[in-house]
Amino acid sequence: MEKTQEIALTEMKKSVQKLGSSTEKFGDPTLMRFLIARSMDPDKAAKMFVLWHKWRDSFVPNGFVSDAEVKDELDDRKIFLQGLSKDGYPVMVIKASKHFPSKDQLQFKKFVVHLLDKTIASSFRGKEIGNEKMIGILDLQQISYKNIDARGLITGFQFLQSYYPERLAKCFILNMPWFFVSVWRMVSRFLEKATQEKVVIVTSEEETKNFIREIGEETLPEEYGGRAKLVPLQDVILAPLED
């Protein structure tokens, strides 16, 4: 670790203590995510960390969101977890044509936490390091107006930005229809510059080749040019963590 990073981490830990919280249970790789998300500013990173910690304790008091808490969302079978990319990132696929705007926003928010937690945890090898990232694939194939959920998309990205800093490696958007362009334009206003830079709207043949290459044919589902079958999120069983 560079000397400047060590200094920033030390300052961040002091700032967290001043704010009445503690970094004791968290390793440096976790804290570094917050520093990177706040341009290595220790005070801003500390504030972000404390807000995240309070949110996590109140919104996810058991440490995880169970399948039973988000049954309605899981029943749509719209999220798939495909294993690891070439760079070792877990790959999550969202089939937007199977999604409908939720009537229960609290359950939807819990579902966002459930799918992000499970996707990230699927890359753990015995224990969490703290710097694991994920790749999202948003497939807009065959969507109609009834599937459009700008509010849901904004919620997902805002959770990533506020509560899962530096967890997103890349988000590929496939098969965007013309009528979704204005929706995406509105959603992207809520994205920080760093998040926008991780979003790739795949349109050209060259972008498709790069997309397949980056994910890897072993992990990518057949319908996108790979050799894998789609695996629904709820069918994935995670290995238990080491003590």
Side-chain angles (χ1 to χ4, degrees):
M1 187 180 290
E2 293 176 14
K3 192 70 178 171
T4 51
Q5 291 180 340
E6 287 181 16
I7 293 168
L9 278 167
T10 302
E11 291 302 314
M12 179 188 170
K13 289 171 185 176
K14 288 178 185 173
S15 293
V16 169
Q17 279 189 318
K18 285 177 187 173
L19 292 168
S21 191
S22 170
T23 60
E24 198 178 327
K25 294 179 183 176
F26 303 93
D28 289 350
T30 295
L31 303 182
M32 273 304 300
R33 288 193 291 106
F34 288 86
L35 275 165
I36 292 166
R38 288 296 172 263
S39 305
M40 300 305 289
D41 184 311
D43 290 334
K44 288 180 180 177
K47 188 177 179 182
M48 185 187 196
F49 174 84
V50 170
L51 288 172
W52 164 76
H53 204 210
K54 285 178 180 175
W55 166 81
R56 190 85 196 175
D57 284 348
S58 63
F59 199 72
V60 199
N62 298 325
F64 67 95
V65 175
S66 67
D67 286 18
E69 292 177 78
V70 292
K71 184 181 181 301
D72 294 343
E73 295 289 342
L74 282 172
D75 283 349
D76 289 337
R77 295 179 85 81
K78 58 193 171 189
I79 308 289
F80 304 86
L81 193 48
Q82 293 305 124
L84 304 181
S85 73
K86 283 276 183 67
D87 292 326
Y89 303 139
V91 177
M92 176 186 69
V93 178
I94 304 168
K95 288 275 193 182
S97 62
K98 295 187 175 187
H99 172 78
F100 302 94
S102 179
K103 294 182 176 69
D104 183 346
Q105 281 300 305
L106 178 59
Q107 184 180 165
F108 179 74
K109 287 176 180 177
K110 283 187 175 290
F111 183 60
V112 171
V113 171
H114 175 82
L115 68 90
L116 292 177
D117 279 1
K118 190 167 184 178
T119 299
I120 292 161
S122 70
S123 70
F124 295 168
R125 289 294 169 261
K127 63 179 181 178
E128 179 180 2
I129 303 298
N131 59 358
E132 296 87 354
K133 294 177 183 282
M134 57 170 278
I135 290 176
I137 299 173
L138 175 58
D139 181 9
L140 302 175
Q141 181 82 41
Q142 293 183 319
I143 65 164
S144 64
Y145 288 103
K146 64 176 183 275
N147 302 119
I148 291 177
D149 185 11
R151 182 182 182 183
L153 259 181
I154 291 166
T155 296
F157 276 110
Q158 285 183 330
F159 269 45
L160 271 169
Q161 291 176 163
S162 299
Y163 306 130
Y164 296 82
E166 293 300 307
R167 286 297 202 186
L168 183 67
K170 202 163 275 188
C171 175
F172 293 98
I173 302 181
L174 312 180
N175 306 307
M176 185 183 286
W178 63 268
F179 59 83
F180 197 83
V181 174
S182 57
V183 177
W184 178 249
R185 200 172 288 136
M186 183 184 74
V187 170
S188 60
R189 288 182 196 151
F190 292 85
L191 306 190
E192 295 168 4
K193 186 171 180 286
T195 305
Q196 288 185 22
E197 289 172 353
K198 294 172 184 175
V199 177
V200 179
I201 300 171
V202 179
T203 52
S204 70
E205 197 175 319
E206 188 62 29
E207 286 167 340
T208 302
K209 283 180 183 174
N210 289 337
F211 161 66
I212 294 171
R213 195 181 304 121
E214 192 159 336
I215 303 296
E217 291 183 17
E218 295 296 320
T219 297
L220 195 63
E222 292 168 338
E223 59 202 88
Y224 307 127
R227 294 196 291 270
K229 302 289 185 187
L230 281 166
V231 184
L233 181 71
Q234 56 267 57
D235 292 354
V236 175
I237 307 297
L238 299 182
L241 296 179
E242 297 170 358
D243 292 330

